[in-house]
């Protein structure tokens, strides 16, 4: 018997599927998400990847940084988002200090992948983090790395600033990107780096590179959901766009974002460094 629901169902977005999208030059649309209702909206809009980001500390909890976010809080939101998704790949952020050694990282993976429904974990940094990535990947916990502006390093960086502007910083970032791929990361988020550097990293790596404030040359884009709906208090970051303005509703705004990313119309020149 014809089953309309099954006929219109999306194919699950898997890690090999994202890899194939990079290979075919198809842009990947990713958004942060923190609850089941928005997750269902992302699913309906055809978003490829949902990220339970530790940005929830700022946009949901109203804190000044992501540093106070706990593993328990990420677990709570990941389980909620998982209930709203079907085909969309779900990534959970590892919060500050939750991957300080392999034992803690393994505990976090058991919780977020084993119990809460995440399909991948995201963690910030290169260098020593590569050992953690390799350990998780060897235990079937897929990892997305995060380089450039890494908000958990806000104190060392001296604020939320564009990274990799100087030639030596750009070379270090490229070396870190190679290292996280070598360690086994299946994806890389690049935040707030000059567009030409991000394009160079994207062309160098085999894994999908997802930009936020990193220009149109990446394999895909991610935005903080509340930024792209224009509801985050304060000034919107230069690299974001209010997709709700003029869209007529949340679901139309999400679809407009997916279409703009897939069609290479977002980010535009004014959204990049
Ligand atoms: O926590 C988060 O939302 C993130 C995105 C900005 C990529 O890491």
């Amino acid at each position: 018997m014809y089953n309309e629901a099954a006929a219109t169902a999306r194919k699950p977005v898997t890690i090999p599927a994202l890899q194939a999208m990079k290979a075919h030059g198809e842009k990947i649309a990713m958004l942060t998400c923190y609850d089941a209702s928005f997750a269902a909206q992302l699913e309906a809009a055809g978003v490829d990847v949902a990220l339970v980001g530790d940005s929830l500390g700022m946009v949901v909890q109203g804190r000044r940084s992501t540093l106070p976010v706990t593993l328990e809080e990420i677990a709570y939101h990941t389980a909620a988002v998982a209930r709203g998704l079907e085909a969309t790949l779900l990534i959970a952020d590892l919060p500050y200090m939750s991957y300080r050694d392999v034992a803690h990282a393994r505990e976090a993976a058991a919780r977020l992948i084993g119990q809460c429904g995440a399909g991948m974990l995201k963690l910030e940094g290169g260098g020593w983090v590569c050992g953690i990535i390799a350990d998780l990947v060897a235990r079937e916990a897929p990892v997305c790395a995060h380089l450039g502006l890494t908000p958990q390093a806000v104190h060392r960086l001296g604020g939320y600033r564009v990274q990799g502007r100087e030639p030596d910083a750009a070379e270090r970032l490229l070396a870190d990107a190679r290292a996280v791929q070598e360690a086994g990361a299946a994806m890389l988020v690049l935040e707030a780096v000059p567009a030409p550097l991000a394009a160079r990293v994207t062309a160098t790596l085999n894994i999908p590179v997802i930009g936020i404030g990193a220009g149109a040359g990446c394999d895909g884009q991610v935005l903080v959901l509340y930024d792209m709906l224009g509801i985050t208090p304060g000034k919107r970051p230069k690299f974001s766009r209010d997709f709700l303005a003029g869209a007529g509703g949340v679901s139309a705004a999400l679809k407009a974002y997916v279409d703009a990313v897939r069609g290479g119309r977002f980010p535009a020149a004014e959204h990049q460094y």
Side-chain angles (χ1 to χ4, degrees):
M1 198 171 75
Y2 178 71
N3 179 338
E4 189 181 342
T8 55
R10 298 169 65 205
K11 273 173 58 180
V13 180
T14 61
I15 295 168
L18 293 175
Q19 191 66 57
M21 287 176 79
K22 175 174 177 117
H24 297 134
E26 292 166 28
K27 299 281 185 187
I28 297 164
M30 171 166 157
L31 282 174
T32 69
C33 191
Y34 315 103
D35 68 48
S37 297
F38 269 116
Q41 295 274 342
L42 265 63
E43 180 73 42
V47 170
D48 299 302
V49 184
L51 166 68
V52 177
D54 60 1
S55 54
L56 70 85
M58 299 172 86
V59 299
V60 176
Q61 299 173 339
R63 300 181 187 277
R64 288 182 182 278
S65 80
T66 60
L67 298 176
V69 174
T70 65
L71 182 62
E72 270 316 298
E73 289 164 348
I74 294 285
Y76 173 89
H77 287 276
T78 300
V81 171
R83 288 180 208 116
L85 298 180
E86 293 287 339
T88 307
L89 180 71
L90 174 55
I91 302 184
D93 238 348
L94 292 186
Y96 180 61
M97 284 293 165
S98 68
Y99 50 100
R100 59 186 176 271
D101 53 35
V102 288
H104 283 88
R106 288 177 192 175
E107 287 295 321
R111 188 77 204 281
L112 298 173
I113 295 181
Q115 307 297 313
C116 300
M120 191 186 277
L121 306 172
K122 181 169 80 58
L123 44 73
E124 298 183 9
W128 68 272
V129 174
C130 290
I132 306 289
I133 295 174
D135 188 82
L136 288 173
V137 171
R139 281 156 188 76
E140 304 300 356
V143 172
C144 173
H146 182 157
L147 295 171
L149 169 52
T150 47
Q152 292 173 18
V154 61
H155 293 308
R156 175 173 57 80
L157 299 177
Y160 299 102
R161 301 168 198 282
V162 179
Q163 301 296 307
R165 282 202 199 270
E166 304 304 323
D168 57 338
E171 291 310 315
R172 278 200 304 276
L173 193 142
L174 189 58
D176 274 341
R178 285 200 178 98
V180 295
Q181 173 175 275
E182 183 67 24
M187 200 155 100
L188 170 65
V189 165
L190 263 190
E191 180 167 354
V193 303
L197 172 60
R200 201 170 144 213
V201 172
T202 305
T204 302
L205 298 196
N206 302 319
I207 58 174
V209 175
I210 311 298
I212 172 165
C218 298
D219 299 308
Q221 301 294 325
V222 57
L223 286 178
V224 170
L225 178 62
Y226 296 1
D227 289 351
M228 60 77 72
L229 292 177
I231 59 173
T232 307
K235 194 165 166 271
R236 191 172 61 247
K238 169 187 164 79
F239 55 75
S240 192
R241 184 178 127 192
D242 182 351
F243 283 87
L244 186 56
V250 168
S251 84
L254 297 176
K255 286 195 179 86
Y257 170 73
V258 171
D259 285 353
V261 170
R262 290 217 207 293
R265 297 185 307 283
F266 179 82
E270 71 261 29
H271 305 117
Q272 41 199 51
Y273 300 103

